[in-house]
Amino acid sequence: MALPYDGTVARDEVENPDRISAAARTLTAFSRTVIRPAGDRATVTVGSMPVVSTVINSLAKLRPNPRGVEREEVRLTGFRIEIVRPAGAGRSLRDGAVLYMHGGGFFLCGLDTHRPVVASLARRTGLPVVSVEYRQLPKTDISGSVDDCLTAYKWLLAHGVSAGRVVFAGDSAGGYMTFATALRARDTGLPVPAGLVGLSPALDLDCTEKRAHPNYHRDALIPLSALESAVKIGAEVDGCLDPLMSPVNHVLAGLPPALLIIAEDEVLRRDSEVMAQRMAQSGVPATLAIWRGQVHAFPAIFPNMPESRAALAHVARFVRERLESGQIARTA
């Protein structure tokens, strides 16, 4: 059962209690008046998923590639990864890496859509960021997507990267992959990474409690019906959803520290609050950063907004702290 809370946040618990940028206000207004209504009218089906995915990925290809980074594509069995490094940095994967899992409702997006945020993380951390273009619905189910992310992690370990020098990160559905992959690694006997970062992560596939949350009506971007449809297609068996498909319902002991960044009014805020509570109860450190006046997964959607830059700087600090902690543990 989800832990109850009233949905309110004190001013001193919000990262930006007194300032919302013009860019963020514009994005929220556009989301509320254009994107959310379109999403509410759309029907997510096995047939529509590939069509919508193709359109989104084609539009992403029209953007110029981020500056200040170098890219290397690697093909694994059934999917590909892209290693994004700061230009001229010369740091190898063994120095440390971020394994990034993109969002997109379990059926959208990929390397092209999320290259800006991946490049921003590479520049800010000074580390290679390995972006995973895992298979998605309807080509595989959600568990199959986790399999691919675990394969990418195994690839890193096989290439000499210590688990203590890896941080998992992801937004939205990629935040789900971040936690689900860490749990899968732990449960199959692999070493867990040094840390976990969730940007508006989807951590509870059961949307019942989210529909009862005040943010169900406040969220400017996410139509919950689309997530419910994706879960029905990608996770339910004979109309039933296994509670253990949701990371919040797992035994969380043994996971590494986590950073959760969410928008105050988004519907997935509940997932991060419940996860932070349950991690704390399990003795696992978790930091919850709440941002006012932002949309779901804002650092991944527009990494150059003032709030996004500040949030990604927080991520970079967390990554450096976790890798330094792992280094101290290995040499102690």
Side-chain angles (χ1 to χ4, degrees):
M1 294 294 293
L3 299 177
Y5 61 96
D6 64 7
T8 61
V9 180
R11 283 174 60 84
D12 59 0
E13 294 176 331
V14 176
E15 298 294 308
N16 59 329
D18 300 311
R19 180 177 176 81
I20 301 171
S21 70
R25 293 181 188 277
T26 300
L27 176 59
T28 299
F30 181 76
S31 298
R32 192 179 302 281
T33 58
V34 178
I35 300 178
R36 174 66 188 267
D40 283 334
R41 291 192 298 269
T43 301
V44 176
T45 65
V46 170
S48 68
M49 284 177 171
V51 176
V52 178
S53 179
T54 298
V55 170
I56 296 298
N57 289 332
S58 297
L59 291 173
K61 290 178 184 294
L62 300 177
R63 294 184 304 188
N65 285 319
R67 297 180 179 180
V69 294
E70 299 168 350
R71 298 185 287 125
E72 175 188 358
E73 183 178 308
V74 178
R75 293 199 170 269
L76 303 181
T77 304
F79 67 102
R80 59 182 180 156
I81 61 177
E82 185 174 80
I83 306 169
V84 179
R85 296 180 172 89
R91 299 186 69 175
S92 72
L93 289 171
R94 295 189 181 192
D95 294 325
V98 176
L99 188 68
Y100 193 89
M101 292 154 252
H102 68 82
F106 302 106
F107 70 97
L108 288 172
C109 302
L111 301 182
D112 295 315
T113 57
H114 282 67
R115 194 170 287 124
V117 67
V118 168
S120 179
L121 286 173
R123 291 191 299 263
R124 289 181 179 278
T125 62
L127 296 170
V129 179
V130 180
S131 184
V132 186
E133 194 172 64
Y134 53 88
R135 291 171 300 149
Q136 298 184 87
L137 302 175
K139 292 182 179 179
T140 188
D141 58 16
I142 292 174
S143 183
S145 298
V146 179
D147 288 341
D148 288 353
C149 294
L150 187 65
T151 296
Y153 181 45
K154 290 179 178 178
W155 182 89
L156 273 176
L157 297 177
H159 282 73
V161 187
S162 166
R165 301 292 295 172
V166 179
V167 171
F168 289 1
D171 64 280
S172 194
Y176 173 94
M177 296 299 156
T178 292
F179 280 81
T181 303
L183 288 164
R184 185 81 62 87
R186 182 200 66 184
D187 294 345
T188 55
L190 290 173
V192 297
L196 306 174
V197 177
L199 307 176
S200 300
L203 299 172
D204 187 355
L205 298 184
D206 185 345
C207 294
T208 304
E209 295 296 330
K210 283 190 275 291
R211 281 194 171 273
H213 191 278
N215 282 3
Y216 173 63
H217 299 288
R218 295 173 183 160
D219 195 305
L221 182 65
I222 295 294
L224 200 57
S225 58
L227 177 59
E228 290 175 316
S229 296
V231 169
K232 185 177 293 292
I233 294 168
E236 290 186 3
V237 177
D238 298 327
C240 296
L241 177 64
D242 182 353
L244 290 181
M245 283 294 293
S246 298
V248 293
N249 294 326
H250 276 256
V251 174
L252 301 174
L255 286 184
L259 170 62
L260 301 161
I261 294 177
I262 56 175
E264 184 178 17
D265 291 334
E266 69 169 300
V267 73
L268 292 188
R269 169 182 149 189
R270 176 194 168 275
D271 290 26
S272 286
E273 291 187 327
V274 172
M275 177 59 84
Q277 291 170 342
R278 293 183 178 176
M279 291 185 81
Q281 291 168 353
S282 300
V284 181
T287 299
L288 183 65
I290 302 174
W291 284 82
R292 181 157 294 164
Q294 310 304 307
V295 300
H296 167 75
F298 64 96
I301 294 175
F302 279 108
N304 287 326
M305 282 198 316
E307 292 89 348
S308 299
R309 292 197 299 267
L312 292 173
H314 190 175
V315 173
R317 289 194 302 271
F318 175 82
V319 170
R320 288 192 294 269
E321 289 167 0
R322 294 312 309 149
L323 297 195
E324 288 169 4
S325 176
Q327 179 68 26
I328 291 170
R330 288 204 315 274
T331 57

